[in-house]
């Protein structure tokens, strides 16, 4: 069990693991790690674990003790070997193109 288990449970972070918490004067930043796993291509439904690249994303999570809490993580973009398209896997705590969690 990680040191941040209760934070993960409170925020319902199923796919992510909190690696560190950064406390600044005006905000708090949770640094997340998303484990690598095989994904299914949404276009042709082929299973792949081939990663094309990463992109950093920061998402607003909640307000705790009058300070905004943000989650910062590296989002993977996968490459499909069958149809040659790229895609981002879906995450339960943030929808595509969103800057706020659900």
């Amino acid at each position: 069990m990680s040191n941040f288990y209760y934070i993960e449970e409170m925020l319902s972070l199923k796919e992510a693991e909190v690696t560190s918490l950064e406390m600044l004067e005006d905000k708090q930043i949770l640094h997340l790690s998303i484990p690598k796993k095989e994904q299914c291509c949404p276009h042709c439904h082929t299973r792949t674990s081939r990663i094309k690249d990463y992109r950093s994303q920061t998402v607003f999570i909640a307000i705790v003790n009058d300070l905004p809490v943000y989650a910062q993580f590296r989002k993977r973009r996968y490459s499909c070997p069958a149809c040659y398209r790229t895609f981002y896997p879906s995450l339960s705590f943030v929808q595509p193109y969103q800057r706020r969690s659900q």
Side-chain angles (χ1 to χ4, degrees):
M1 186 175 351
S2 74
N3 295 338
F4 301 106
Y5 173 76
Y6 295 108
I7 295 173
E8 293 169 6
E9 287 297 311
M10 182 178 71
L11 298 175
S12 300
L13 300 174
K14 294 179 182 82
E15 303 97 0
E17 180 179 308
V18 178
T19 56
S20 66
L21 174 62
E22 188 177 352
M23 308 267 302
L24 303 173
E25 286 183 21
D26 59 341
K27 61 185 170 186
Q28 299 173 3
I29 301 174
L30 292 171
H31 295 276
L32 304 179
S33 170
I34 301 170
K36 179 182 173 182
K37 63 180 181 178
E38 195 174 59
Q39 299 290 329
C40 183
C41 175
H43 308 288
C44 69
H45 306 292
T46 302
R47 307 245 350 130
T48 183
S49 59
R50 186 181 297 170
I51 297 171
K52 180 174 174 147
D53 60 5
Y54 289 87
R55 181 175 70 86
S56 292
Q57 185 170 4
T58 303
V59 178
F60 173 78
I61 297 287
I63 294 180
V64 178
N65 294 335
D66 294 331
L67 290 176
V69 178
Y70 294 92
Q72 193 171 52
F73 56 95
R74 290 178 61 202
K75 203 171 187 180
R76 288 184 188 91
R77 186 164 65 159
Y78 287 86
S79 175
C80 179
C83 67
Y84 303 106
R85 292 184 175 181
T86 60
F87 63 94
Y88 290 102
S90 61
L91 299 171
S92 67
F93 60 94
V94 63
Q95 294 296 319
Y97 308 109
Q98 275 192 331
R99 299 285 178 223
R100 292 180 178 263
S101 69
Q102 295 180 347

